[in-house]
PDB file of all heavy atoms in Angstrom:
ATOM      1  N   THR A 470      78.952 101.924 129.538  1.00  0.00           N
ATOM      2  CA  THR A 470      77.646 101.881 130.078  1.00  0.00           C
ATOM      3  C   THR A 470      76.935 103.240 130.135  1.00  0.00           C
ATOM      4  O   THR A 470      75.846 103.360 130.727  1.00  0.00           O
ATOM      5  CB  THR A 470      77.681 101.292 131.540  1.00  0.00           C
ATOM      6  OG1 THR A 470      78.538 102.185 132.314  1.00  0.00           O
ATOM      7  CG2 THR A 470      78.236  99.922 131.533  1.00  0.00           C
ATOM      8  N   GLN A 471      77.543 104.196 129.471  1.00  0.00           N
ATOM      9  CA  GLN A 471      76.903 105.570 129.418  1.00  0.00           C
ATOM     10  C   GLN A 471      77.168 106.143 128.090  1.00  0.00           C
ATOM     11  O   GLN A 471      78.246 105.940 127.512  1.00  0.00           O
ATOM     12  CB  GLN A 471      77.491 106.396 130.592  1.00  0.00           C
ATOM     13  CG  GLN A 471      76.876 107.821 130.704  1.00  0.00           C
ATOM     14  CD  GLN A 471      77.399 108.514 131.942  1.00  0.00           C
ATOM     15  OE1 GLN A 471      76.885 108.333 133.030  1.00  0.00           O
ATOM     16  NE2 GLN A 471      78.504 109.184 131.839  1.00  0.00           N
ATOM     17  N   ALA A 472      76.277 106.959 127.594  1.00  0.00           N
ATOM     18  CA  ALA A 472      76.417 107.581 126.253  1.00  0.00           C
ATOM     19  C   ALA A 472      77.628 108.447 126.178  1.00  0.00           C
ATOM     20  O   ALA A 472      78.056 109.069 127.175  1.00  0.00           O
ATOM     21  CB  ALA A 472      75.167 108.368 125.903  1.00  0.00           C
ATOM     22  N   PHE A 473      78.214 108.531 124.970  1.00  0.00           N
ATOM     23  CA  PHE A 473      79.412 109.355 124.743  1.00  0.00           C
ATOM     24  C   PHE A 473      79.239 110.054 123.383  1.00  0.00           C
ATOM     25  O   PHE A 473      78.578 109.536 122.447  1.00  0.00           O
ATOM     26  CB  PHE A 473      80.674 108.545 124.853  1.00  0.00           C
ATOM     27  CG  PHE A 473      80.677 107.336 123.995  1.00  0.00           C
ATOM     28  CD1 PHE A 473      81.214 107.348 122.650  1.00  0.00           C
ATOM     29  CD2 PHE A 473      80.224 106.135 124.467  1.00  0.00           C
ATOM     30  CE1 PHE A 473      81.181 106.192 121.931  1.00  0.00           C
ATOM     31  CE2 PHE A 473      80.215 104.957 123.724  1.00  0.00           C
ATOM     32  CZ  PHE A 473      80.686 105.021 122.420  1.00  0.00           C
ATOM     33  N   PRO A 474      79.859 111.192 123.221  1.00  0.00           N
ATOM     34  CA  PRO A 474      79.605 112.059 121.991  1.00  0.00           C
ATOM     35  C   PRO A 474      79.993 111.366 120.672  1.00  0.00           C
ATOM     36  O   PRO A 474      79.306 111.687 119.656  1.00  0.00           O
ATOM     37  CB  PRO A 474      80.402 113.292 122.255  1.00  0.00           C
ATOM     38  CG  PRO A 474      80.566 113.376 123.684  1.00  0.00           C
ATOM     39  CD  PRO A 474      80.674 111.913 124.191  1.00  0.00           C
ATOM     40  N   SER A 475      81.034 110.496 120.645  1.00  0.00           N
ATOM     41  CA  SER A 475      81.506 110.005 119.409  1.00  0.00           C
ATOM     42  C   SER A 475      80.859 108.655 119.062  1.00  0.00           C
ATOM     43  O   SER A 475      81.310 107.873 118.200  1.00  0.00           O
ATOM     44  CB  SER A 475      83.024 109.788 119.360  1.00  0.00           C
ATOM     45  OG  SER A 475      83.405 108.838 120.402  1.00  0.00           O
ATOM     46  N   THR A 476      79.701 108.311 119.738  1.00  0.00           N
ATOM     47  CA  THR A 476      78.869 107.142 119.307  1.00  0.00           C
ATOM     48  C   THR A 476      78.534 107.422 117.839  1.00  0.00           C
ATOM     49  O   THR A 476      78.149 108.568 117.518  1.00  0.00           O
ATOM     50  CB  THR A 476      77.585 107.122 120.094  1.00  0.00           C
ATOM     51  OG1 THR A 476      77.961 106.961 121.452  1.00  0.00           O
ATOM     52  CG2 THR A 476      76.821 105.864 119.646  1.00  0.00           C
ATOM     53  N   PRO A 477      78.665 106.459 116.956  1.00  0.00           N
ATOM     54  CA  PRO A 477      78.329 106.743 115.520  1.00  0.00           C
ATOM     55  C   PRO A 477      76.898 107.222 115.375  1.00  0.00           C
ATOM     56  O   PRO A 477      76.061 106.831 116.175  1.00  0.00           O
ATOM     57  CB  PRO A 477      78.588 105.355 114.859  1.00  0.00           C
ATOM     58  CG  PRO A 477      79.410 104.609 115.763  1.00  0.00           C
ATOM     59  CD  PRO A 477      79.152 105.051 117.168  1.00  0.00           C
ATOM     60  N   ILE A 478      76.640 107.993 114.332  1.00  0.00           N
ATOM     61  CA  ILE A 478      75.332 108.361 113.997  1.00  0.00           C
ATOM     62  C   ILE A 478      74.485 107.178 113.653  1.00  0.00           C
ATOM     63  O   ILE A 478      73.348 107.016 113.877  1.00  0.00           O
ATOM     64  CB  ILE A 478      75.349 109.380 112.840  1.00  0.00           C
ATOM     65  CG1 ILE A 478      76.066 110.645 113.250  1.00  0.00           C
ATOM     66  CG2 ILE A 478      73.926 109.706 112.380  1.00  0.00           C
ATOM     67  CD1 ILE A 478      76.412 111.532 112.091  1.00  0.00           C
TER      68      ILE A 478
END
Side-chain angles (χ1 to χ4, degrees):
T470 60
Q471 184 172 271
F473 51 92
S475 64
T476 304
I478 297 167

